[in-house]
C-alpha cells in the first residue's frame, strides 16, 4: 500500500518511465512526463528507462524496478511519455492501467497539450476573457438605432 504523510498533505510520488532504443526519444519522453507530473504537483521520485522495446515488459529491468517501488509504497503512480513505451495498443495500455490500479497505484500517459488545441483557440479564449471583464475591443457590434 502506498505511503502517505500522516497529515494528508504532500506531493504524490510518481516514477517516470520510458523504453526506446533512441536516446533523443527517451529524453523527450522523460521531459514530457516530468512536465505532466509537475503540472499536477506530483513529485518525481525517480526516472527509469529501458533501451530495448522488443523485450517483454515484465522482463525489462527498469520496469521491474518501478513495479518494485510501487509494491513497496515508494511511489503511487507511473507516468510514461507515451503509451507506446509500455504497450503495443490502447487496449493493452488500458488493461495494464487496471492491473496497476488493482495494486493501489495509477498509470498516466503524458500527452502533449498542443495536440488538443484547435486553430484560433487561444484567440477565442482571450476574447471571452476580455468580454467577461467588460472590455470590448471590437467596439459596438450592432449599430445604434437599429433593431434586429
Amino acid at each position: 500500500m502506498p505511503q502517505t504523510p500522516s497529515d494528508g498533505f504532500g506531493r504524490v510520488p510518481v516514477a517516470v518511465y520510458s523504453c526506446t532504443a533512441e536516446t533523443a526519444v527517451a529524453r523527450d519522453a522523460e521531459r514530457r512526463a516530468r512536465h505532466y507530473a509537475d503540472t499536477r504537483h506530483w513529485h518525481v521520485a525517480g526516472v527509469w528507462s529501458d533501451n530495448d522495446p522488443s523485450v517483454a515488459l515484465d522482463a525489462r529491468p527498469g520496469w521491474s524496478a518501478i513495479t518494485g517501488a510501487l509494491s513497496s509504497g515508494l511511489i503511487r503512480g507511473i507516468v510514461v511519455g507515451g503509451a507506446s513505451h509500455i504497450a503495443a495498443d490502447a487496449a493493452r495500455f488500458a488493461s495494464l492501467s487496471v492491473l496497476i490500479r488493482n495494486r493501489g497505484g495509477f498509470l498516466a500517459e503524458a500527452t502533449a497539450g498542443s495536440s488538443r488545441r484547435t486553430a484560433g483557440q487561444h484567440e477565442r479564449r482571450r476574447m471571452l476573457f476580455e468580454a467577461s471583464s467588460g472590455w470590448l475591443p471590437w467596439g459596438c457590434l450592432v449599430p445604434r438605432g437599429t433593431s434586429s
Side-chain angles (χ1 to χ4, degrees):
M1 190 63 149
Q3 305 294 321
T4 56
S6 59
D7 60 5
F9 297 106
R11 296 179 70 174
V12 176
V14 297
V16 168
Y17 178 76
S18 66
C19 182
T20 180
E22 299 176 31
T23 305
V25 174
R27 272 189 296 224
D28 182 55
E30 178 185 340
R31 181 190 54 75
R32 280 186 287 124
R34 281 182 177 276
H35 177 73
Y36 187 87
D38 287 343
T39 59
R40 284 149 183 81
H41 302 288
W42 296 340
H43 168 69
V44 176
V47 177
W48 286 270
S49 64
D50 290 308
N51 59 5
D52 190 359
S54 65
V55 174
L57 187 61
D58 59 349
R60 297 178 190 170
W63 184 256
S64 296
I66 283 181
T67 56
L70 182 64
S71 295
S72 67
L74 294 175
I75 61 170
R76 294 191 55 204
I78 303 166
V79 182
V80 294
S84 62
H85 291 270
I86 60 170
D89 56 29
R92 288 185 185 175
F93 185 83
S95 65
L96 187 58
S97 180
V98 169
L99 177 67
I100 292 169
R101 192 175 332 122
N102 289 341
R103 288 182 164 184
F106 64 89
L107 177 63
E109 177 187 9
T111 55
S114 61
S115 65
R116 292 185 183 175
R117 296 200 178 152
T118 60
Q121 182 178 9
H122 178 70
E123 182 65 18
R124 283 190 298 276
R125 285 184 179 173
R126 184 185 63 77
M127 290 177 74
L128 286 170
F129 175 72
E130 289 171 352
S132 69
S133 67
W135 187 72
L136 300 174
W138 50 82
C140 185
L141 295 177
V142 179
R144 291 179 194 238
T146 62
S147 60
S148 39

